[in-house]
Amino acid sequence: MNENQILDRLAAVLEARKQADPDSSYVAKLYARGLDAILKKIGEEATETVMAAKDGQADKIVYEVADLWFHTLVLLAQQGLGPREVLAELDRRFGLSGLEEKAQRGE
């Protein structure tokens, strides 16, 4: 299974969890708790990712980045978005220098 298939599969599960009983699913419970709960979880996972990177242990870094990506995918789904939109934006930026991209945003 390639990376896009993994993201598509996960996005489909996250979308289905919107209809699930909050008592039946961690993700459904996050959706029920609302945007602030999802954002708080992303903040926690970002901090754990930074701490893992500081420790320099590859397996910890991968584990924490997976948690961070997962929770950002939950956010995307909650907002009616998905990984395809992010991949399209990354593709748009491909070959564009970071300095050019920032200039286009007016920063």
Side-chain angles (χ1 to χ4, degrees), residues 44-64:
E44 290 171 6
E45 298 303 341
T47 298
E48 290 172 5
T49 299
V50 169
M51 291 168 41
K54 288 293 237 177
D55 289 344
Q57 294 181 4
D59 59 333
K60 281 185 173 181
I61 295 168
V62 169
Y63 183 88
E64 294 303 340

Side-chain angles (χ1 to χ4, degrees), residues 4-5 7-8 76 81-89:
N4 288 341
Q5 290 173 319
L7 289 174
D8 288 343
L76 288 171
L81 301 166
R84 292 279 170 193
E85 288 88 348
V86 177
L87 292 172
E89 175 61 16

Side-chain angles (χ1 to χ4, degrees), residues 5-95:
Q5 290 173 319
I6 293 167
L7 289 174
D8 288 343
R9 221 171 92 202
L10 183 53
V13 169
L14 294 176
E15 194 62 34
R17 294 295 191 268
K18 288 181 178 180
Q19 310 306 319
D21 179 345
D23 291 332
S24 70
S25 158
Y26 168 75
V27 172
K29 187 175 290 191
L30 266 180
Y31 287 144
R33 290 176 50 210
L35 179 60
D36 285 346
I38 295 168
L39 296 175
K40 180 180 177 190
K41 194 64 187 167
I42 290 171
E44 290 171 6
E45 298 303 341
T47 298
E48 290 172 5
T49 299
V50 169
M51 291 168 41
K54 288 293 237 177
D55 289 344
Q57 294 181 4
D59 59 333
K60 281 185 173 181
I61 295 168
V62 169
Y63 183 88
E64 294 303 340
V65 169
D67 280 352
L68 179 59
W69 284 15
F70 176 83
H71 287 90
T72 57
L73 289 168
V74 170
L75 170 66
L76 288 171
Q78 191 265 351
Q79 296 289 308
L81 301 166
R84 292 279 170 193
E85 288 88 348
V86 177
L87 292 172
E89 175 61 16
L90 290 171
D91 185 53
R92 183 190 71 78
R93 295 180 188 184
F94 198 82

